[in-house]
Amino acid sequence: MNKQELHDSIINNAQITFARSGGKGGQNVNKVNTKVCLQLSVSDIGGISDEERARLRIKLASIINSEGKLYLNVDDERFQEVNRKIALARIENRIVQAVIIPKKRKATKPTKASKERKLKLKRIRSELKKNRSKVTFQP
């Protein structure tokens, strides 16, 4: 994956529209389009291989529609330009995270010393609980 090519591809191919946003802004909310609606076709994304594109379709299935476009809405801030930058950064971050192949976990066994420590702690705890029991006196 080429990050610079990916970044340029997102900026060049993203379709950005603006809408009225709820939330912060007071009376300004009702008259200024600050919400950013970003659409990006998965097939238009450059800088990733076909295998990475397939992984992307699986990982981001929740934000991909039937036409194969990624959708993202951002209305975090009061300013359109700030929301636009946030949307571009988020979509790029999601794409990068989706194409990363996770490392396989190697199964390990506890060491002999750790087993002994665990048993020692169990013995100490057991003694402590035994000492809490009722004491009976024999006359």
Side-chain angles (χ1 to χ4, degrees), residues 30-75:
N30 301 324
K31 57 187 178 182
V32 179
N33 293 335
T34 57
K35 181 179 181 179
V36 174
C37 305
L38 186 139
Q39 295 179 35
L40 179 64
S41 179
V42 175
S43 57
D44 291 343
I45 299 171
I48 60 173
S49 67
D50 290 335
E51 296 153 8
E52 291 172 331
R53 203 176 308 278
R55 190 178 358 272
L56 181 84
R57 282 193 171 99
I58 294 167
K59 292 268 188 165
L60 298 181
S62 63
I63 62 169
I64 297 177
N65 68 0
S66 58
E67 298 169 9
K69 290 187 175 183
L70 288 162
Y71 273 92
L72 186 69
N73 294 325
V74 177
D75 60 353

Side-chain angles (χ1 to χ4, degrees), residues 72-109:
L72 186 69
N73 294 325
V74 177
D75 60 353
D76 296 354
E77 299 295 327
R78 294 183 185 193
F79 304 103
Q80 190 182 86
E81 188 57 33
V82 175
N83 282 335
R84 188 180 156 285
K85 287 178 182 175
I86 292 170
L88 289 170
R90 274 191 196 161
I91 201 78
E92 184 176 351
N93 190 33
R94 282 192 171 185
I95 291 169
V96 168
Q97 292 300 315
V99 299
I100 292 173
I101 300 170
K103 291 181 182 178
K104 293 199 176 186
R105 183 186 176 275
K106 293 180 183 176
T108 59
K109 294 181 180 177

